[in-house]
Amino acid sequence: MKTKSNSSETWKKFIPITKWLPSYSVKENLINDIIGGITVGILHVPQGMAYASLVGLKPVYGLYTSLFPSLIYMLFGTSRHVSLGVFAVVSLMSGSCNLRVTQEIVSSYGSNLTKTEIEEISVNVVKSLGLAIGLIQILLFLLKANYLISYLSDQIILGFTTGAAVHVFTAQLNKIIGVALPRHTGIGKLFYIYQDLINSILDDKVNKTTLAMSLVAIAVLYIAKYHLTPALCAKTRIPIPFPSPALPDVTLIQKIFNDAIAIAVVSVVVTVSMGKVMAKKNGYTIDVRQEFLALGMVTSACSMFPCWPASTALARTIINENAGTKTQLSAIFSASVLTLVLFFIGPLLEHLPTVCTIILSTERCKPAPCFALISLNLTPNAYKILC
């Protein structure tokens, strides 16, 4: 009997949903989880489609990356509020890896490949990247590397999210003015991007129509945020059917292993950081070691679908908490919105130009000004950028 009891506790520890779901309070939590899930699900749609361009894939793959991770995390994760799916920093890193490896593979085949074949290669690259990241995160779980997270103070966490915000903000600027910029990697990447942006403006390469639409969209979002507060959702046509699971190409792992290590660490740090912040704000705790396993299971399982590596999104997590979400069960309602788009709404929607809008607002911060991606209503001195 004691052995059975210990076995049961072990399962509950590694699969937390078996611990909290039996005591789930429908009366206290269900309505909040439905509202939070639907709100985040609506936000998943435009974000998933927009960030697909950062990875070098079609918008529909962003919807797949938004759909599957949150459902798997619901089973293994311990944070009630983090929103897994597309995240700009991880998308940029995945896109850089995808571009390099895809070009390498395509060049080895010559110039006889069709666009469809090149697309299949890109999908295989990001799937293999996801598998490698998942295995690394599971290995970190087995090695009990969660003690490393104890060195992440509140200042480091906020500094990391600020740095991530600057990268995300910079990556969207060329979308606002409608110019295509070359990709840069390595130290000084941001300076090169700003140099290219300034040169494009000076050379009068700005797409005035796109810029005008961006400014109008910013104005609309600002008014909506502070005066009307409705939910706005971008739309596009989804031409690809629901995917069937397929194993990734493990032979590609050797080409993307270094990228996988970097992305695995970033994904864990972002998720644990935001999880700690949300847990502290709402009076509960997260199991940091379990988060390693949860992320590893999420990324490994999603590698069987046409998804790029998922991570916690800063903006969606804040919105998820502000919407009143109480438990991880909100992921079911979020996934329902995405499934509705994929199966029923997608084929009826029309294409829209890729216009990413960013609204910046600042408050006084001590000791110096800084940027943040989202409305970080976590401390009195937080700065805000609404995306």
Side-chain angles (χ1 to χ4, degrees), residues 201-224:
I201 295 172
L202 295 177
D203 295 340
D204 198 26
K205 294 181 180 179
V206 176
N207 187 318
K208 295 179 176 59
T209 302
T210 300
L211 177 60
M213 291 183 65
S214 297
L215 294 175
V216 170
I218 289 173
V220 170
L221 287 175
Y222 184 87
I223 293 171

Side-chain angles (χ1 to χ4, degrees), residues 3 5 7 67 106 157 159 162 198 259 271 275-276 310 362:
T3 303
S5 177
S7 177
L67 173 62
V106 170
I157 290 172
T162 297
I198 294 171
D259 300 270
T271 300
K276 279 188 170 184
T362 61

Side-chain angles (χ1 to χ4, degrees), residues 11 35 95 118 128 187 219 281 291 307 341 343 355:
W11 277 109
I35 294 173
I118 295 175
S128 300
I187 299 174
K281 185 178 180 181
E291 292 300 301
C307 306
V341 171
F343 276 100
V355 178

